[in-house]
Amino acid sequence: MRALVVEDNAGDRWFFSELLRSRGYEVRSCETGEEAWNAFRADVPPLVLVDLMLPGIDGFELCRRIRAYPHGREPVILAVTGRDEPDALGEILAAGADDFIRKPVPPAQFAVRMEIAERRVRDRVERLGITQELEFKAWELEQLFRNLHDVFFSIDVTAGRLIQMSPSAEALFGHAIADLLADPDLWKQYLLPPEGGVDTWTEMAKGPPGNQLVREYPIRRADGSVAWVHARVSVERDPRYGNLRADGVTTDITREWQAAETLALRNRELAALYRVSEVSLTAESAEAAYAAIVEEVARVMEAPVVMLEALDRSADRLVVVAAHGIDLPEEGLTIPLHQTPAGVAVQTGRPLVDRDPRPRRDLTHDAIRALEPRLWASFPLASRGVVTGTLTLVDRVPRNVDERWTQLGASLAAVIATFMERVDAEDALRDSEARHRALAAQLKQANQELESFAYSVSHDLRAPLRTMQGFAHALLQNYGDALEPEARDYARRIIASGRQSERLIADLLAYSRLSFEKIEVKPVELDVVVAQALEQVQADVTESKARLTIARGLPVVLGSQTALVQVVANLLSNAVKFVPPERIPEVRVRAEDRDDFTRLWVEDNGIGIPEGQEERIFRVFERLTQSDDRPGTGIGLAIARRGMERIGGRCGVERLPEHGSAFWIDAMKERRKSRRPWLRRGRRS
Ligand code: ADP
């Protein structure tokens, strides 16, 4: 420990210094009051031993200065004096010394006094520590108060007085702390529980200690704005005076509350939008959907009257397609645009919200005037920027609606517009489907008429053609010799052309017969079909010296014997016909199993089909070669295709890699009992 010794007498100075050193002190000794004052301020010691009688600043003055110094309250001052007057003691203590020793000082007495002084020093150091700690705590609390947004408060409930409140209250409540503390009622509107008030606190005090009251409620700030607070209050009896005391924290939760509120609202809106789209999707008819939609809108928007109106642009009017809260007349409700506020929404394409529509000039339609509307809101239904109708909400009592309400109305209108657009599109589709069906029927009818016309024409052409050929023959036979060679050639040409025309007519007749004659489908043996077809083309085969390879045991298929023979004959005839002159035709006929079909191949080594022409050749009159040495009508393959189609089959061609083509026909397989072997087995046993 450090000690300051102030003594002008050198002997005493040494004496006291040594006594203190012997007690373990680190001593700084001074001769004058001035010197000591400077030393004291430079480094405040816990113990000062001072001679009262000093030149200049004497001991009394030094004591007073020390005590007046900011850090001078703590050191223990031990005065040393030679005076022995009755007043001296009072004077010494009044100056600020803690104790005094009379000179000359007997060492034993000095020790006792020192012990007392040292105890004091220890007390003071301890007290200093405690004070400092307290001050620090107070500072910390102050900081906490200052920096926290939460408002801490203490209320003397018994006295109805606000005891203290943290500075953050100014920001939250908008009042100066001083005002809150001074006004006996002001704090109440912010801190008392909104329901129950003081009674809630007094009730709480009766319950178990440590109970907390937690409440969230709105407050109105000094500037009139509303804030939401979360308050947590505990109520206890003050141990000193027994007063009821409420301590608590109030937190500004306006933003959280707003966020939660917005979220809840948004959720309700989304649910509404979802329900509207759901009824749109699940309703059995458009009418049912519209009815469900207006109900839902009425519920969500809390509107007693809701109308869904479709715009009839050609007549500048709105047709109410569904309504809630009003009975639609039997003949429907149609309102000219200029007689309803909804017309404005149609014209501007923007929502119209009129909080008092009574003076409106467009409120002239009887049905609408009868509503006596006090709130009118119309939301345009727009699809791709074009207004197609309106969603109208009407209230018959004055009502204040906010921005959100309007927004929700607009969102609902958007969903409804999308739905109505879909309904329109579906209607249009149904219309066009019906139109297509009618057209197809007309076309079929026309086709049939045309085909039967072609049939009768071809049929009727045959007779004169035969007559013509007959006379040409007769001319050659009976008068051939009389004719010039040129004339004979003409006659032959007449016969050849007649034959070609006959072929053409025969083919056309076959083709049209295949088209509209009834065809009976039944099991047909392909072996028989191929044999009969070969018979038909025998002349061509013989003439061309073709080599034929015909697979045996061809399967049974479903079809018409006549049609199949005609088809296969055409393929065989082509196979031997479209072969280069120097090449011997080779034709192969075989069958292949293909799921539900049997495919019959007719492959040749002919001139082949140029790439890309595979489909074309199946059309009527399409021929790739026009040479005279391969006579034809261009109908053979068309007959093949039509014939196969009529018996539920198909036909086509594949180009062969080297040369030649592979024509095929697919005929339905016969569903034989053998395909259900368990039945046969069952019958046998
Ligand atoms: P046509 O045989 O009377 O000419 P088709 O309808 O039978 O009429 O055939 C149409 C055209 O398809 C033929 O003119 C010919 O160009 C081509 N064609 C048909 N079969 C073959 C084949 N096996 N090889 C090459 N070309 C063919």
Side-chain angles (χ1 to χ4, degrees):
M1 272 216 283
R2 286 169 302 111
L4 181 66
V5 173
V6 195
E7 173 62 78
D8 57 339
N9 181 294
D12 285 350
R13 196 163 64 238
W14 176 84
F15 174 71
F16 291 129
S17 298
E18 283 313 304
L19 272 179
L20 284 170
R21 282 197 184 100
S22 69
R23 295 182 70 84
Y25 281 85
E26 187 189 311
V27 180
R28 162 100 198 255
S29 59
C30 300
E31 204 177 328
T32 66
E34 281 83 1
E35 193 193 337
W37 177 230
N38 288 335
F40 176 84
R41 279 181 304 169
D43 190 1
V44 176
L47 178 68
V48 181
L49 191 140
V50 58
D51 182 13
L52 291 174
M53 292 316 200
L54 294 169
I57 297 177
D58 66 3
F60 294 101
E61 175 61 15
L62 190 60
C63 282
R64 275 191 290 274
R65 282 193 183 184
I66 286 175
R67 288 305 184 217
Y69 188 67
H71 301 293
R73 285 164 57 92
E74 309 309 332
V76 170
I77 304 177
L78 197 56
V80 192
T81 179
R83 282 170 66 183
D84 191 11
E85 297 141 28
D87 307 345
L89 179 61
E91 216 179 322
I92 289 165
L93 295 179
D98 291 289
D99 199 359
F100 79 102
I101 309 173
R102 213 181 300 278
K103 285 200 275 194
V105 181
Q109 197 193 348
F110 183 79
V112 172
R113 283 295 160 77
M114 273 309 292
E115 238 142 67
I116 294 170
E118 278 165 2
R119 198 173 307 138
R120 276 206 180 117
V121 168
R122 276 198 301 275
D123 281 355
R124 283 200 190 153
V125 167
E126 200 173 311
R127 209 181 62 220
L128 188 69
I130 290 170
T131 313
Q132 274 173 353
E133 190 126 314
L134 275 175
E135 274 172 1
F136 183 67
K137 278 272 168 286
W139 177 83
E140 271 187 332
L141 272 176
E142 182 93 18
Q143 288 299 333
L144 207 66
F145 268 26
R146 216 172 287 287
N147 295 328
L148 272 180
H149 292 295
D150 307 302
V151 174
F152 293 84
F153 60 86
S154 302
I155 292 159
D156 185 335
V157 180
T158 312
R161 190 174 63 85
L162 176 66
I163 303 168
Q164 58 180 358
M165 179 175 264
S166 56
S168 42
E170 296 196 355
L172 179 52
F173 304 140
H175 291 283
I177 296 290
D179 293 344
L180 284 161
L181 289 171
D183 189 323
D185 289 318
L186 190 54
W187 62 268
K188 290 182 180 164
Q189 66 192 75
Y190 300 115
L191 304 181
L192 274 187
E195 285 132 39
V198 172
D199 293 345
T200 317
W201 286 348
T202 27
E203 280 304 309
M204 266 178 78
K206 291 179 194 154
N211 249 358
Q212 278 198 329
L213 178 76
V214 180
R215 287 272 186 285
E216 282 180 4
Y217 53 88
I219 55 164
R220 190 169 287 279
R221 289 199 178 95
D223 65 3
S225 64
V226 172
W228 273 78
V229 294
H230 172 99
R232 185 186 291 272
V233 183
S234 45
V235 182
E236 311 270 324
R237 287 236 167 253
D238 167 355
R240 250 189 308 177
Y241 308 108
N243 276 12
L244 206 58
R245 208 181 131 116
D247 294 291
V249 190
T250 298
T251 312
D252 183 358
I253 54 159
T254 313
R255 282 175 63 183
E256 291 90 325
W257 193 84
Q258 275 169 348
E261 182 82 339
T262 311
L263 204 68
L265 204 66
R266 196 78 205 123
N267 274 346
R268 281 204 296 279
E269 291 174 3
L270 281 177
L273 288 172
Y274 174 75
R275 275 195 300 274
V276 165
S277 33
E278 199 186 25
V279 297
S280 320
L281 291 174
T282 53
E284 283 184 355
S285 64
E287 288 67 34
Y290 293 148
I293 285 172
V294 290
E295 293 312 314
E296 189 61 36
V297 171
R299 208 176 59 76
V300 181
M301 301 289 284
E302 294 172 356
V305 176
V306 176
M307 287 183 284
L308 192 58
E309 299 140 313
L311 175 63
D312 175 358
R313 211 172 263 286
S314 61
D316 273 346
R317 56 187 195 165
L318 287 167
V319 181
V320 181
V321 294
H324 165 92
I326 50 169
D327 292 328
L328 288 183
E330 193 102 316
E331 68 280 9
L333 182 55
T334 304
I335 310 163
L337 285 181
H338 66 274
Q339 290 193 329
T340 164
V344 177
V346 171
Q347 243 95 51
T348 60
R350 302 162 67 86
L352 167 102
V353 179
D354 194 337
R355 288 180 178 80
D356 187 8
R358 282 174 303 172
R360 289 194 75 99
R361 293 215 325 228
D362 48 8
L363 208 65
T364 50
H365 194 275
D366 287 345
I368 286 175
R369 245 212 325 261
L371 285 175
E372 296 175 4
R374 297 302 297 275
L375 168 76
W376 188 285
S378 282
F379 301 93
L381 305 173
S383 112
R384 293 188 206 115
V386 179
V387 177
T388 56
T390 47
L391 172 68
T392 291
L393 309 172
V394 179
D395 208 333
R396 312 171 80 164
V397 292
R399 164 154 167 214
N400 212 2
V401 290
D402 60 6
E403 188 60 22
R404 288 210 74 88
W405 188 85
T406 315
Q407 267 173 22
L408 179 56
S411 305
L412 286 166
V415 172
I416 295 168
T418 314
F419 169 65
M420 286 175 82
E421 189 187 347
R422 218 192 62 212
V423 169
D424 280 352
E426 278 168 7
D427 282 353
L429 197 69
R430 256 196 299 279
D431 280 359
S432 87
E433 268 174 10
R435 264 203 306 278
H436 273 115
R437 265 198 300 277
L439 257 163
Q442 276 172 15
L443 213 64
K444 197 172 168 195
Q445 169 83 10
N447 248 345
Q448 270 169 2
E449 280 165 12
L450 208 67
E451 274 167 3
S452 69
F453 173 73
Y455 180 79
S456 46
V457 167
S458 334
H459 200 266
D460 295 350
L461 273 178
R462 264 185 157 173
L465 201 62
R466 290 243 170 85
T467 316
M468 198 176 78
Q469 276 179 295
F471 279 115
H473 271 292
L475 192 66
L476 270 183
Q477 257 163 26
N478 302 342
Y479 305 99
D481 300 339
L483 289 176
E484 297 277 312
E486 202 177 353
R488 272 204 301 275
D489 185 46
Y490 289 160
R492 262 185 232 107
R493 283 189 192 208
I494 292 174
I495 293 170
S497 294
R499 213 174 283 141
Q500 168 69 3
S501 300
E502 215 177 339
R503 259 201 302 270
L504 185 64
I505 289 169
D507 278 356
L508 272 175
L509 271 175
Y511 182 70
S512 46
R513 216 181 290 124
L514 258 184
S515 301
F516 64 88
E517 255 181 16
K518 198 166 175 292
I519 285 189
E520 205 185 332
V521 173
K522 54 189 179 198
V524 176
E525 286 177 41
L526 276 184
D527 278 333
V528 177
V529 168
V530 173
Q532 286 186 3
L534 263 178
E535 248 167 55
Q536 282 194 15
V537 298
Q538 195 54 56
D540 295 345
V541 173
T542 315
E543 194 190 331
S544 66
K545 304 192 179 71
R547 282 201 288 269
L548 300 182
T549 316
I550 314 244
R552 285 174 184 281
L554 297 171
V556 173
V557 296
L558 280 180
S560 134
Q561 171 111 350
T562 330
L564 278 169
V565 168
Q566 200 163 21
V567 169
V568 175
N570 285 352
L571 296 185
L572 286 172
S573 139
N574 284 348
V576 298
K577 187 163 64 175
F578 294 104
V579 180
E582 69 283 356
R583 204 180 291 159
I584 304 270
E586 283 178 26
V587 181
R588 203 172 146 222
V589 179
R590 63 187 174 93
E592 189 182 283
D593 191 68
R594 297 213 156 205
D595 292 335
D596 292 342
F597 292 99
T598 292
R599 177 164 288 191
L600 189 79
W601 289 96
V602 177
E603 296 158 327
D604 63 46
N605 62 342
I607 56 171
I609 313 286
E611 196 169 351
Q613 304 295 328
E614 295 94 328
E615 269 308 297
R616 199 187 126 192
I617 53 172
F618 286 93
R619 294 202 291 259
V620 187
F621 299 138
E622 292 285 359
R623 305 195 70 207
L624 301 180
T625 53
Q626 292 297 348
S627 67
D628 282 344
D629 46 331
R630 294 194 187 103
T633 58
I635 301 177
L637 289 180
I639 288 178
R641 173 143 296 175
R642 175 62 60 94
M644 290 316 293
E645 277 170 6
R646 289 294 316 268
I647 59 168
R650 307 175 286 221
C651 69
V653 65
E654 271 174 26
R655 289 148 33 83
L656 289 178
E658 286 293 313
H659 36 65
S661 334
F663 282 82
W664 54 263
I665 56 169
D666 277 348
M668 282 191 290
K669 275 182 186 166
E670 193 214 0
R671 270 178 238 279
R672 276 192 260 174
K673 291 195 180 76
S674 61
R675 295 187 67 170
R676 291 181 288 172
W678 62 93
L679 263 184
R680 284 173 74 183
R681 230 179 285 134
R683 258 191 226 142
R684 262 185 208 160
S685 58

